């Protein structure tokens, strides 16, 4: 049985993802606004790196929320400990991200990866 802070690692991942989305919506508002006003379909062309960056930054937050939901569901609804590979992959992504971009939020994922690995 999972207990303590480990029991809430899914919720922490969801909150990290939500923070990512909220920050992205504010930090990239000027890049995201044309995606809505131009009708979404095909609004990020190959040469529009600023729009692509804004889009993927925001989408990554939703992916973190999805991962967090799945971890939370496994632990709390099914009583299953998530596979260790989730912790290892999150650790690798966050370590590489923190090395490449030290002034970023990748550091937030390291404790969560550690908790996943300690289950």
């Amino acid at each position: 049985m999972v207990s303590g802070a480990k029991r809430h690692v899914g919720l922490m991942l969801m909150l990290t993802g939500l923070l990512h989305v909220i920050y992205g919506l504010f930090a990239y508002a000027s890049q995201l606004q044309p995606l809505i006003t131009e009708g979404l379909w095909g609004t990020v062309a190959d040469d529009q790196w600023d729009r692509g960056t804004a889009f993927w930054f925001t989408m990554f937050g939703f992916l973190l929320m999805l991962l967090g939901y799945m971890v939370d569901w496994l632990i709390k609804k099914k009583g299953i400990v998530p596979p260790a590979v989730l912790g290892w992959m999150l650790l690798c992504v966050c370590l590489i991200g923190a090395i490449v971009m030290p002034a970023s939020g990748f550091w937030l994922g390291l404790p969560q990866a550690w908790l996943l690995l300690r289950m």
Side-chain angles (χ1 to χ4, degrees), residues 5-18 59-78 80-83 86-87 90 109 112-113 116 119:
K6 295 175 193 174
R7 181 169 167 75
H8 303 292
V9 69
L11 179 62
M12 288 187 289
L13 284 165
M14 286 188 277
L15 291 174
T16 303
L18 182 62
M59 294 283 44
F60 188 75
F62 286 111
L63 292 173
L64 275 175
M65 286 190 278
L66 176 62
L67 176 65
Y69 179 81
M70 290 304 297
V71 168
D72 193 64
W73 181 78
L74 283 172
I75 294 170
K76 293 178 182 172
K77 301 288 188 220
K78 293 294 182 180
I80 300 171
V81 174
L86 289 178
L90 184 61
Q112 296 166 41
L116 282 169
M119 291 188 176

Side-chain angles (χ1 to χ4, degrees), residues 3-95:
S3 62
K6 295 175 193 174
R7 181 169 167 75
H8 303 292
V9 69
L11 179 62
M12 288 187 289
L13 284 165
M14 286 188 277
L15 291 174
T16 303
L18 182 62
L19 178 66
H20 208 271
V21 170
I22 291 169
Y23 178 81
L25 291 174
F26 284 101
Y28 293 111
S30 62
Q31 291 87 0
L32 292 171
Q33 188 266 337
L35 275 64
I36 304 299
T37 59
E38 294 174 17
L40 287 180
W41 184 264
T43 53
V44 179
D46 290 341
D47 61 343
Q48 294 174 315
W49 291 98
D50 56 339
R51 287 185 185 189
T53 300
F55 175 77
W56 280 110
F57 184 94
T58 307
M59 294 283 44
F60 188 75
F62 286 111
L63 292 173
L64 275 175
M65 286 190 278
L66 176 62
L67 176 65
Y69 179 81
M70 290 304 297
V71 168
D72 193 64
W73 181 78
L74 283 172
I75 294 170
K76 293 178 182 172
K77 301 288 188 220
K78 293 294 182 180
I80 300 171
V81 174
V85 70
L86 289 178
W88 285 112
M89 292 187 77
L90 184 61
L91 178 68
C92 289
V93 167
C94 291
L95 269 178

